[in-house]
Each structure stands twice: as C-alpha cells, then as structure tokens.
Amino acid sequence: MEATTILPVLKKKLAFLSGGKDRRSGLILTIPLCTEQTSMEELSTTLDYLLGIPSEKCKARGFTVIVDGRKSQWNIVKTVVLMLQNVIPAEVSLVCVVKPDEFWDKKVTHFCFWKEKDRLGFEVILVSANKLTRYIEPCQLTDEFGGSLTYDHLDWVNKRLVFEKFTKESTSLLDELTVINENEKGCQAEKERSSESNILPSFDPETVLQTGHELLSELQQRRFNGSEGGGGGGGTTWSPMDDELLAQPQVMKLLDSLREQYTKYQEVCRQRSKRSQLEEIQTKVMQVVNWLEGPGTDQLRTQWGIGDSIRASQALQQKHEEIESQHSEWFAVYVELNQQIAALLSAGDEEDLMELKNLQQQLSDVCYRQASQLEFRQNVLQSAHEFHMTAQDLSQQLDGLLGMLCADVAPADGAAIQQTLKHLEEKLKSVEGALQSLREKGQVLLDQMTTQTSFSYGKDVTIENKENVDHIHSVTEDMQLRKQRCEDMVDVRRLKMLQMVQLFKCEEDASQAVEWLGELLDALFKTHIRLGDDAQETKVLLEKHKKFVDVAQSTYDYGRQLLQATVVLCQSLRCTTRSSGDTLPRLNRVWKQFTVTSDERQHRLEMASAFHTAAEKILRESPESAEMMLDLETCEELDSMGKSLLERLTVAVIFPDGSEQFFGSPGEMASSAESIRDRMKLVEEKRFLQEEAEQRLDDDTLEAGPRET
C-alpha cells in the first residue's frame, strides 16, 4: 500500500507512529479519537498502512497502543479496542485507553478488559493522561499526553511521500538503466546500432539521485518522521525510520545501485554522444567548406571597385558588411566545430585522432584563407572611404577659400584687414595640409590595390584596377590644380589687402595729424600767453614761437603727404578716396585757424618787443645828464605803442569762418597787461622827473639873468 493512494485518509491523523517507544523498545501506536464519528474503515486502512512500515524484527517486540478516548464515547473506544484484535492481535502487547477526567458511566463495569485478556490477546488498561507515564517514559510521549516528544503529522506524511516516491522512481530507474546498459553492451559487441540503443530512461537520474541524497541526509539526521530522537530504557537514542524501519539502509542500497548503473549509463551516453558528435562534425565541416569555397568565394570575386564618392564607397561598405555577415554565420560554425574537435582530440581516442586532425586542418585552411580575403577587402574599402572623405573635405575647403577670394573686401579698419588676412593664410595652410593628406591616403590605397590577392587554393588572381587607379590620380591632380588657382588668387588678394592696410594706415595717420594740429592750436591759445617782462624775454618767446610754428608746419605738411598717398592708393585699389571729403577739409580748416592765431601771436610778440626795447632805452637814460634829455616824441610814441598793445590784448582772434577765440583766461591776459602798464608807468615817472629837471633849469636861468644885469 502506498501513501499516495490513501493520502486524504492519512492526513486525517486517525492513527500515527510518533517514533516513541515503550520500556520494551516496542513502538507506540497512537489512536487519537475525536468528538466526531470515526470511520472504522478508514481507521482500519490507516492501521494497515502503518503496520506495514516496521520490519518483522521490530514488530516482534510488540506495539503499545494508546487509545485517546478523552474526546470520544465509550462505545467507540470499545469498538476500536475490539478492532485491534482483528487487525493486529499478535503485535499488540499493551493497550492504554486514556480516559477523560470525568469517567464514563457505570456501563463500563459491565465490560472489564482485563477479564477479556485471554480472548483479546493483549492487555487493556484504563488510565488517565497524567498517569500514563507509569507505563511509558515522558520523553517517548507527545505533548498531548504531557510528554516532550515532538511530532508533526503533516511533515511526517510529506516525508513519507518523498521516501515512497524515491523508492518507486529509483527502482524503476534501476531496471531501465540495467536494460539500456545491457543493450548498449550487446550493440558494441556486434558493432551495430539498433533503434533501441537510443532509449532514454523515464526519470532523470540526476534528479532521482539528488532526491535520494536529500532523503538520506534527513534519515541520518534522525528527522525523517519529525522526531529528534528519544531515550530508551538504557539511555540509547532511537529513531523509527533508522534501524527499526529499515529506511536508511534501504535508501543507501538503492543509491549505491543507482550510482553504479548511472555511471555505466553515463559512459553509454558519452559513447553515444561521441559517435553522434563525430558524424555531426563531419557533416558540418563539409557544409562550411563547400559554402566558403563556393558562394563565399564567388561573392568576393565580384567585389573589386572602390567607388567614386563617399556615398558610393559607403554603399560598397554596406554590401561588404552583408557579405561579412553571411560569412560570420559560417565562421561561428567554424569556431564551434573547432572547439568540438579540440575536445574530442583531448579525449585521446586513437581510432578517431587522424580523421579529426584532417578535418580540423581542412576547415582551418579554408576559413583562414577566406577571412584574410574579407579583411583585405575591408581594408581597401576603408582606405577608399577615407580617401573620398579627405577629397570631399578638401573640395569644401577650396570652395570656401574661393568664396572668400571672390567676395568684395570691405573691411572697417586695418585690424579687420589683418584678421581677414590671417584667416586667409590659415585657410590656405589648412588646404595644403588636406592636399598632403589626400596624396598620402591615395598612395596607401594604390599600394593596397596593387597587391595581388589569392582567392582560392593559392591561385593568384590579379584584379583589373586601372579604372580605380585612374580615378585616384584624377582626383589628386584636380585638387592640385584647384589649390594652385586659389594660391594665385590668394597672392593677388594679399597684395590688395596689404595696400588697403597702407590706405587705412595713411588715413589713420592723416587723422592723427589733424588731431595733433588741433592740439597745437589749443596749446597756442592756452599756454602761449606771456609777452615777456623785458626785451630779452620777449626775444626768447619769439624764437620759441617760430619753432612752434615750424612744428605745426611740419605736421600740416605730413598730413598733406599722407592724404596724397591715400589718393594714390585709392586709385590703385579702384575705390573712392576716403579722405578728400572729410580729413582734408578738417586739415585745411585747422591749419587756417592755426595760421591766423600764430600770426596774431607773432604780431603781439613783435609789438611787445618794440615796446620793451623803447621803454628800456628811455629808462636807461639819466635825468641829470644834459646830453641825454628825453625826447618827448619818443615818449609819446612809446605811450601810443603801449596803449595799442594793451588794446590788442583785449581783442579776440577771428577765424576765417567768423568764429573767434581769446588767448588764455581773462586773469592771465590781465597779468600780461599789468606788466605793460607797469613799464608804461615807469616811463611816465621818468618823463615827469625830466620835466621837473627842465623846470628847475629854466628857473635857474631866469635867476642868473638879473644878477648879471
């Protein structure tokens, strides 16, 4: 009887073997009755299953049956006890009926079990739960009877299912493996393979062995039925699924037999796999060789162009990638086959070594030859793509450079021209570098294309590359010509831009000359104010003024020369002069203002010089000297000169455009006028003294006349 057939009944826990033992080492069978009506048929089935588990030796020790009647009626207890007589009369040694705390009614006295011992075949006692330890040790009783023995019924059922499943599967698997191994041995002796030689077992041997090892581990840990073991009369630890129930020895025996047959079966499978693998390898090797030497080689023979543009070279690369993709699938098969052959060679079977080595050599030769052709073609296409990329980049640079050269030059100033010229030089340098790179890449491509390649069986097949070679030379020469034309135009543009730099420089310097002349004019008004306190100082100021005017004249002449150079450069550049309408009129206007102002300054200094010279002459004469008598006319002229000079100092300079401006500030002009007035005052005082001297002389003459008379 198998647990799976009565699994619902077993789960009801109508009876169970907890693993505990009585003092005679007999197994304890527990029948827990409940308040509900117990099916005697199911109980009988459960007892039949449980009693089929122990060995005969274990059964000979007898069973102690605990009938738990605390939750049941007396008539049911009596029926169960009587049923034990029919089910296991010889195996039962003692039946302990656990009575409830409130004993059954007096009907019990009408049936005394002890009087029926001879008829029943075993002793029956009525005992309360707390008195049960008089017959059984507490460590052999479960917790419902106050004991310490742990028991999990569902866990026991599950492990029992595992045990029976392993026993059934391992027994069936042993039979199948034995048949398979015997058949394979006969086939090897006859050197033939029948259709039955590939029969596979119904169960996975690894899974069954794994289940068996796990089960054996459970048994060895004494946990098969949920018990951690207990103590017997002599202190010995017991386990019902160990020695008594023969579970562990049975599992070990099955595992040993299964491992032996499985080892043989693995060798059978290895031989099968080896034969099948060798046949499969031979088939696949020929498939790879036939494809690579056939369609694969034909594909490469048709691909020899390099394209005439980036798009064309990319299309060729894409086509080559498709060819490589097809080859990659066969190369992957080659790698797999090579690994399989290497594994078989390492096994060292003499009968297959030579054949495997020949297959490996043939496969490697074909694959390496085809791979080298693919790599060669890929390198050519990559070089062609780089060549076309460089050619396109160079063409775009030449187009950009030509656009710059054809555009009108209208820079704002000399710095912008210098920046444009620098940018132009950088463009030309970049073009030269790109052209050199194009030549190098073209030479690399030519070297690759002139290499003869072997497409199959070492036969050299020279591809006609004249069209590709001509294309490379044509592109290189065309770029060289375009670059030369651009260089010529750059030379012309460079000369023109240098002239424009000179033009802007002349205009800038001419404007600077105007500013300098304006600064000289401003300095003339603001700092050239003094007229001198004497003739000598005035003379020095006159010399300085002449030098100052010479500087201004040189500045004006320099500006005129720059403007004339600007006109010449504009005529050379065929552009409208930029200075004739602005800088030249400003230069002439400032120069006229400076001329008027310097003339006025010159005139004032000359008047001051004449004034101081006359004044100093008068002031040097002694009033007591008769020979040096003052000339009244001279004094009057000096006075007139002083007044004229003072009046001149108050007059503004009038420019040709009608505007006017004064020299210095009013305070500064007042200081100069005060100096002149002081000199005029000294002359007036000298004249007054002269008049007094004359008056005294006249008086003396008048007095001397009467005396003589």
Side-chain angles (χ1 to χ4, degrees):
M1 185 183 300
E2 296 180 358
T4 54
T5 60
I6 59 169
L7 184 59
V9 177
L10 284 179
K11 288 184 177 180
K12 291 181 179 181
K13 198 181 179 181
L14 301 176
F16 62 88
L17 291 168
S18 64
K21 299 176 179 65
D22 57 22
R23 291 187 175 90
R24 297 173 294 99
S25 298
L27 294 176
I28 297 176
L29 176 64
T30 304
I31 303 176
L33 299 176
C34 57
T35 55
E36 299 178 358
Q37 186 67 30
T38 302
S39 172
M40 293 298 113
E41 181 179 358
E42 292 181 349
L43 179 59
S44 176
T45 302
T46 303
L47 292 173
D48 288 341
Y49 176 76
L50 293 176
L51 294 173
I53 294 175
S55 64
E56 294 300 327
K57 181 180 178 181
C58 189
K59 290 178 182 179
R61 297 193 188 103
F63 289 89
T64 292
V65 182
I66 299 176
V67 180
D68 188 1
R70 289 177 294 180
K71 297 180 182 180
S72 184
Q73 301 176 359
W74 165 249
N75 58 347
I76 297 176
V77 173
K78 185 175 66 174
T79 302
V80 170
V81 172
L82 293 175
M83 184 182 68
L84 292 175
Q85 180 186 15
N86 298 325
V87 178
I88 49 173
E91 288 83 359
V92 177
S93 299
L94 176 64
V95 176
C96 295
V97 178
V98 181
K99 61 183 180 180
D101 294 335
E102 296 179 359
F103 199 62
W104 292 297
D105 56 27
K106 294 181 179 180
K107 292 181 182 181
V108 175
T109 59
H110 297 165
F111 185 83
C112 297
F113 286 113
W114 65 272
K115 294 180 180 180
E116 301 293 331
K117 179 178 180 181
D118 295 335
R119 185 172 65 83
L120 291 174
F122 48 80
E123 182 181 359
V124 180
I125 60 173
L126 294 175
V127 63
S128 60
N130 56 0
K131 304 289 184 169
L132 195 58
T133 55
R134 294 178 180 178
Y135 306 95
I136 304 171
E137 295 292 334
C139 63
Q140 302 297 324
L141 291 173
T142 56
D143 57 354
E144 57 259 48
F145 301 117
S148 60
L149 182 64
T150 303
Y151 176 74
D152 186 344
H153 184 68
L154 289 179
D155 183 63
W156 181 87
V157 171
N158 292 333
K159 288 183 171 61
R160 187 67 193 175
L161 290 172
V162 173
F163 172 75
E164 291 183 357
K165 180 176 180 293
F166 169 71
T167 304
K168 180 180 179 181
E169 290 182 354
S170 60
T171 303
S172 175
L173 181 60
L174 274 173
D175 295 337
E176 292 179 357
L177 291 179
T178 302
V179 172
I180 292 173
N181 293 338
E182 290 298 328
N183 289 340
E184 183 68 20
K185 186 176 180 181
C187 291
Q188 289 181 356
E190 298 174 3
K191 296 184 179 180
E192 293 180 359
R193 294 183 61 191
S194 62
S195 59
E196 297 180 355
S197 62
N198 291 329
I199 297 176
L200 299 176
S202 304
F203 303 100
D204 179 24
E206 294 286 348
T207 304
V208 176
L209 283 171
Q210 179 66 23
T211 304
H213 286 300
E214 293 174 356
L215 179 59
L216 182 60
S217 176
E218 290 285 345
L219 293 175
Q220 291 173 343
Q221 295 175 8
R222 300 175 180 270
R223 293 180 180 177
F224 178 81
N225 60 350
S227 173
E228 297 294 338
T236 307
T237 302
W238 302 90
S239 178
M241 292 304 293
D242 192 2
D243 296 325
E244 287 75 13
L245 305 186
L246 297 178
Q248 183 174 339
Q250 185 179 356
V251 172
M252 292 177 66
K253 182 179 179 181
L254 285 172
L255 283 174
D256 291 341
S257 301
L258 191 59
R259 277 193 292 266
E260 180 183 359
Q261 291 298 324
Y262 181 53
T263 302
K264 295 179 180 179
Y265 174 71
Q266 285 179 317
E267 179 61 24
V268 169
C269 292
R270 192 185 72 82
Q271 294 295 332
R272 286 182 184 177
S273 175
K274 179 182 173 183
R275 289 195 300 269
S276 175
Q277 193 175 10
L278 184 58
E279 293 174 358
E280 183 181 358
I281 286 175
Q282 290 174 339
T283 302
K284 288 185 177 180
V285 165
M286 294 314 300
Q287 289 178 349
V288 173
V289 170
N290 291 336
W291 190 89
L292 292 178
E293 292 183 343
T297 300
D298 293 340
Q299 287 179 349
L300 286 176
R301 282 201 182 110
T302 59
Q303 298 295 313
W304 57 270
I306 62 171
D308 56 0
S309 63
I310 294 179
R311 182 176 296 179
S313 65
Q314 288 176 339
L316 290 173
Q317 282 184 319
Q318 183 176 358
K319 177 63 178 176
H320 184 71
E321 288 174 359
E322 295 174 359
I323 295 174
E324 281 187 332
S325 177
Q326 296 179 24
H327 279 73
S328 296
E329 298 175 1
W330 292 98
F331 288 153
V333 177
Y334 157 70
V335 173
E336 181 182 356
L337 289 174
N338 201 34
Q339 293 175 350
Q340 293 176 2
I341 293 173
L344 292 176
L345 288 172
S346 63
D349 294 335
E350 295 293 337
E351 58 183 8
D352 300 327
L353 282 179
M354 187 57 67
E355 183 179 359
L356 287 172
K357 287 183 178 179
N358 292 335
L359 285 174
Q360 189 180 40
Q361 188 62 42
Q362 181 184 7
L363 184 63
S364 297
D365 291 344
V366 174
C367 288
Y368 279 117
R369 183 167 58 247
Q370 201 74 1
S372 65
Q373 299 308 315
L374 286 171
E375 183 181 5
F376 172 80
R377 176 61 181 166
Q378 176 63 33
N379 292 337
V380 171
L381 290 177
Q382 182 63 32
S383 298
H385 181 69
E386 293 177 359
F387 176 78
H388 292 308
M389 284 282 290
T390 306
Q392 178 174 303
D393 179 64
L394 177 57
S395 179
Q396 292 174 351
Q397 290 188 41
L398 288 170
D399 290 341
L401 181 58
L402 184 62
M404 287 183 61
L405 295 171
C406 293
D408 291 336
V409 181
D413 52 28
I417 292 179
Q418 293 288 357
Q419 186 64 28
T420 303
L421 190 59
K422 180 180 178 182
H423 185 54
L424 197 63
E425 296 291 348
E426 290 175 352
K427 282 274 190 180
L428 185 59
K429 185 176 180 180
S430 176
V431 166
E432 292 176 351
L435 181 60
Q436 180 61 30
S437 177
L438 181 68
R439 293 194 190 99
E440 294 173 356
K441 293 186 184 323
Q443 188 58 46
V444 170
L445 185 56
L446 289 172
D447 293 341
Q448 289 177 334
M449 288 190 304
T450 53
T451 303
Q452 289 187 331
T453 59
S454 175
F455 281 96
S456 61
Y457 296 102
K459 294 175 63 178
D460 290 337
V461 179
T462 303
I463 299 176
E464 181 58 46
N465 284 320
K466 185 177 183 304
E467 182 178 346
N468 296 332
V469 172
D470 291 344
H471 173 69
I472 294 171
H473 289 313
S474 175
V475 170
T476 305
E477 292 172 359
D478 179 62
M479 293 300 171
Q480 176 64 38
L481 291 175
R482 291 177 60 186
K483 185 252 185 183
Q484 186 61 47
R485 287 196 296 269
C486 286
E487 282 184 340
D488 297 340
M489 295 179 68
V490 166
D491 292 338
V492 175
R493 177 55 59 89
R494 185 186 296 111
L495 178 60
K496 183 177 181 180
M497 296 183 77
L498 290 175
Q499 289 180 337
M500 293 190 70
V501 170
Q502 293 178 352
L503 172 63
F504 279 112
K505 182 63 176 174
C506 289
E507 291 179 347
E508 182 180 351
D509 291 348
S511 298
Q512 185 65 49
V514 174
E515 293 179 6
W516 288 343
L517 202 57
E519 292 173 358
L520 292 175
L521 176 61
D522 189 58
L524 184 60
F525 273 112
K526 292 181 179 180
T527 62
H528 292 224
I529 301 169
R530 285 179 52 78
L531 298 177
D533 294 334
D534 52 32
Q536 182 62 33
E537 184 179 358
T538 304
K539 183 178 180 182
V540 173
L541 290 175
L542 273 171
E543 293 296 328
K544 290 183 177 179
H545 178 70
K546 290 179 181 179
K547 293 179 180 179
F548 186 78
V549 172
D550 291 341
V551 172
Q553 182 67 51
S554 299
T555 303
Y556 172 73
D557 295 340
Y558 176 65
R560 292 283 298 183
Q561 292 173 0
L562 289 173
L563 292 175
Q564 291 175 358
T566 300
V567 173
V568 174
L569 287 172
C570 287
Q571 293 175 351
S572 175
L573 293 172
R574 295 187 178 88
C575 63
T576 305
T577 179
R578 303 163 64 93
S579 300
S580 59
D582 183 17
T583 309
L584 183 60
R586 288 194 300 117
L587 179 65
N588 291 331
R589 181 174 63 254
V590 174
W591 176 243
K592 289 179 181 179
Q593 292 175 350
F594 184 85
T595 302
V596 172
T597 306
S598 64
D599 290 345
E600 177 63 22
R601 172 68 175 168
Q602 178 75 21
H603 189 64
R604 291 184 181 186
L605 287 172
E606 290 175 350
M607 289 178 66
S609 178
F611 171 77
H612 285 300
T613 300
E616 291 173 357
K617 182 179 180 181
I618 294 174
L619 292 175
R620 282 197 303 268
E621 295 177 354
S622 174
E624 289 79 9
S625 176
E627 295 82 14
M628 300 294 295
M629 297 297 291
L630 291 176
D631 188 357
L632 293 178
E633 292 182 2
T634 303
C635 291
E636 289 176 358
E637 289 179 2
L638 180 64
D639 185 64
S640 176
M641 289 172 57
K643 290 179 180 179
S644 298
L645 182 57
L646 289 174
E647 183 179 359
R648 192 83 177 213
L649 292 178
T650 61
V651 177
V653 179
I654 300 175
F655 297 134
D657 58 357
S659 61
E660 59 183 26
Q661 185 173 351
F662 289 91
F663 279 97
S665 63
E668 293 173 333
M669 296 307 297
S671 176
S672 299
E674 187 66 24
S675 176
I676 296 171
R677 290 192 184 95
D678 290 343
R679 183 57 66 92
M680 291 175 65
K681 186 176 181 181
L682 290 175
V683 173
E684 185 65 25
E685 290 177 354
K686 184 70 177 284
R687 180 181 177 185
F688 179 73
L689 292 175
Q690 178 68 30
E691 289 179 350
E692 287 183 349
E694 290 179 355
Q695 184 63 37
R696 284 196 304 269
L697 182 61
D698 291 340
D699 292 340
D700 292 340
T701 303
L702 291 175
E703 290 177 359
R707 287 191 205 106
E708 292 177 358
T709 305

